[in-house]
Amino acid sequence: MGVETNQSGPIGRPRGFDADEALERAMLVFWKHGYEGASTACLTNAMGISTTSMYAAFGNKEKLFRKVLERYTEGPSAYLVRAMEEPTALGVATAILSGVVRTTTRPAHPHGCLGVQGALTVSDSGQEVRDLLVAWRNDGYSRVRERFQRAVDDGDLPPQTDPGLLARYLTTFAFGIAVQAASGVGRDELQEMADAALRNWPLS
Amino acid sequence: MGVETNQSGPIGRPRGFDADEALERAMLVFWKHGYEGASTACLTNAMGISTTSMYAAFGNKEKLFRKVLERYTEGPSAYLVRAMEEPTALGVATAILSGVVRTTTRPAHPHGCLGVQGALTVSDSGQEVRDLLVAWRNDGYSRVRERFQRAVDDGDLPPQTDPGLLARYLTTFAFGIAVQAASGVGRDELQEMADAALRNWPLS
DNA sequence: CTCCTTCTGCAGCGATCGCTGCAGAAGTGC
DNA sequence: GCACTTCTGCAGCGATCGCTGCAGAAGGAG
């Protein structure tokens, strides 16, 4: 602490690459190949840096993936937080599903969801990353459930509604969309299906 | 061809293990770890045989996986064919979803669906297996769509029903259940959710 | 018994895995 | 200029990957 201006840059040799840009490239590789399917050689090649630079900047492969997952959550998957702010539960559900459909079928990005296909199954050495994504998906479910609970409390949803069941239904459908997108199913078909699914809300 | 009785056993040294039992063990390993997450060492260890015996009996890792997928289709995933024989479309949908729930949450088996988590993402060298599972999932969808088309033709479903949309909805939901099961969500909760989803049929 | 075929155990192939030691390059502070 | 810190390129670490050559074992055919 102090009044020192400290306008000088960081000490030492400056980085020869844009860490943010490198992280973006790494995200695309993990997104497409999954955690264990993306080798360090494949990653660093896409990032345009050497393995040494990658390890100096991000620690190791697992830490790089955690950074990537944060970026994914705040970037491609940010539709989730925005959807929570919709005034009605139906609005939330609609925004989530259309957000999933758009994010998992964007032409410029790998198809599917990083949080689903990043590490659905792993070898023995990848358990921690698998658990990380399990927690990531469960966290999404919890947020939706709490939002629907609030909707029940506010009278937006019928009082006998089970928010957990509704949240499980919605996230299950979202994960299913991610699998379909990863299989190459087109955006329009998925959106049409999501629309049809929400024509019955909230589940009779 | 001829009238030779040929009652003698096969020529050469007989196999020292039960190929069917070995295939079952391999299925469980692929189911849990996925195609690329299951190393040959892990597989052969579980199968109780040497790598040489595995290669002699099944060709290579990819051919072993194809054999395993066949076994999975006719075993744990056989509920699909049985469901098709239900008299009504609603019966088909109900049977499929409850079949998915039971198969993906069986305590004695890995959680989730081999056809989904077997190779949702792969490295460059695993593309063919990924494509194999994409085709496997698409085949499931096609069978359901054709069954629902028949239901429309028979008057079981309203004439304005889109069988493709309905089949896409059902398979999406099924794949989502597989992801949830792989994440540790319990059987009862998933079944309750499936029941609620089918309370609205056929999608308004 | 000898031939023939097939299967098994051992040992190890080249390639790739994630990761690191080291020396030099490229900056700042003095 | 020199000291100090950080980053980079090269080269290579031990481990594991999928897979195979080879010699011997274990059966049937004659």
Side-chain angles (χ1 to χ4, degrees):
Chain A
M1 49 180 169
V3 286
E4 41 186 334
T5 50
N6 193 11
Q7 63 182 3
S8 63
I11 199 172
R13 176 175 174 177
R15 217 169 248 153
F17 63 95
D18 183 345
D20 200 65
E21 170 70 16
L23 210 54
E24 174 75 18
R25 308 250 191 109
M27 181 181 74
L28 297 180
V29 175
F30 277 132
W31 195 344
K32 178 178 180 185
H33 294 291
Y35 174 68
E36 291 191 321
S39 68
T40 53
C42 180
L43 284 163
T44 54
N45 186 58
M47 296 164 89
I49 61 179
S50 68
T51 61
T52 319
S53 297
M54 190 274 275
Y55 276 86
F58 302 103
N60 58 24
K61 188 185 172 184
E62 182 178 332
K63 288 179 181 171
L64 173 64
F65 184 81
R66 290 177 184 269
K67 278 277 182 191
V68 159
L69 185 62
E70 286 179 21
R71 186 186 183 85
Y72 182 81
T73 305
E74 296 163 5
S77 185
Y79 63 85
L80 185 62
V81 228
R82 289 196 299 267
M84 297 300 186
E85 298 162 2
E86 289 287 327
T88 67
L90 176 58
V92 171
T94 307
I96 287 178
L97 289 191
S98 78
V100 170
V101 169
R102 273 187 291 113
T103 300
T104 59
T105 59
R106 221 176 287 276
H109 285 170
H111 290 178
C113 170
L114 175 64
V116 172
Q117 69 205 25
L120 199 51
T121 56
V122 288
S123 71
D124 290 329
S125 64
Q127 286 297 333
E128 292 192 2
V129 172
R130 181 189 167 275
D131 294 344
L132 174 69
L133 289 193
V134 166
W136 186 86
R137 293 192 292 268
N138 285 341
D139 182 66
Y141 157 75
S142 296
R143 288 164 182 262
V144 176
R145 188 195 57 207
E146 286 161 13
R147 178 64 185 83
F148 286 167
Q149 177 64 62
R150 187 156 68 83
V152 171
D153 296 341
D154 295 351
D156 173 30
L157 284 175
Q160 75 276 13
T161 308
D162 180 348
L165 187 99
L166 216 53
R168 194 59 84 185
Y169 171 77
L170 198 68
T171 53
T172 298
F173 205 61
F175 297 154
I177 288 173
V179 173
Q180 297 279 25
S183 308
V185 179
R187 168 178 296 197
D188 295 343
E189 182 177 356
L190 293 176
Q191 184 61 56
E192 193 182 345
M193 180 192 64
D195 293 341
L198 289 181
R199 231 165 268 145
N200 170 247
W201 181 263
L203 280 185
S204 319
Chain B
M1 46 183 171
V3 287
E4 40 186 336
T5 51
N6 194 12
Q7 63 182 3
S8 64
I11 198 171
R13 176 175 173 175
R15 220 170 245 151
F17 62 96
D18 183 345
D20 199 65
E21 169 71 17
L23 209 55
E24 174 75 18
R25 307 249 191 111
M27 182 181 74
L28 296 179
V29 174
F30 276 133
W31 196 343
K32 178 178 181 185
H33 294 292
Y35 175 67
E36 291 191 323
S39 68
T40 53
C42 180
L43 284 163
T44 54
N45 185 58
M47 297 164 87
I49 61 178
S50 69
T51 61
T52 318
S53 296
M54 191 274 276
Y55 277 85
F58 301 104
N60 59 23
K61 188 185 173 184
E62 181 179 332
K63 288 179 181 171
L64 174 63
F65 184 81
R66 291 177 184 269
K67 277 279 182 190
V68 159
L69 184 63
E70 285 179 21
R71 187 185 182 85
Y72 182 81
T73 305
E74 296 163 4
S77 185
Y79 62 85
L80 185 62
V81 228
R82 287 196 300 266
M84 296 300 186
E85 298 163 1
E86 289 288 328
T88 68
L90 176 58
V92 171
T94 307
I96 288 178
L97 289 191
S98 78
V100 170
V101 169
R102 272 186 292 112
T103 300
T104 59
T105 59
R106 219 177 288 274
H109 285 169
H111 290 178
C113 171
L114 174 65
V116 171
Q117 69 204 24
L120 200 51
T121 57
V122 288
S123 71
D124 289 330
S125 65
Q127 287 297 334
E128 291 193 3
V129 172
R130 181 189 168 274
D131 294 345
L132 174 68
L133 288 193
V134 167
W136 186 86
R137 293 192 293 269
N138 285 341
D139 181 65
Y141 157 75
S142 295
R143 288 164 182 262
V144 176
R145 189 195 57 207
E146 286 161 13
R147 178 64 185 83
F148 287 166
Q149 176 65 63
R150 186 156 67 85
V152 172
D153 296 342
D154 294 351
D156 174 31
L157 284 174
Q160 76 275 12
T161 308
D162 181 347
L165 186 99
L166 216 51
R168 193 61 84 184
Y169 171 77
L170 198 67
T171 53
T172 299
F173 204 62
F175 297 155
I177 287 173
V179 173
Q180 298 280 25
S183 308
V185 179
R187 168 178 295 198
D188 294 345
E189 182 177 356
L190 293 176
Q191 184 60 56
E192 193 182 344
M193 180 192 66
D195 293 340
L198 288 181
R199 231 166 269 143
N200 172 249
W201 181 263
L203 282 184
S204 317

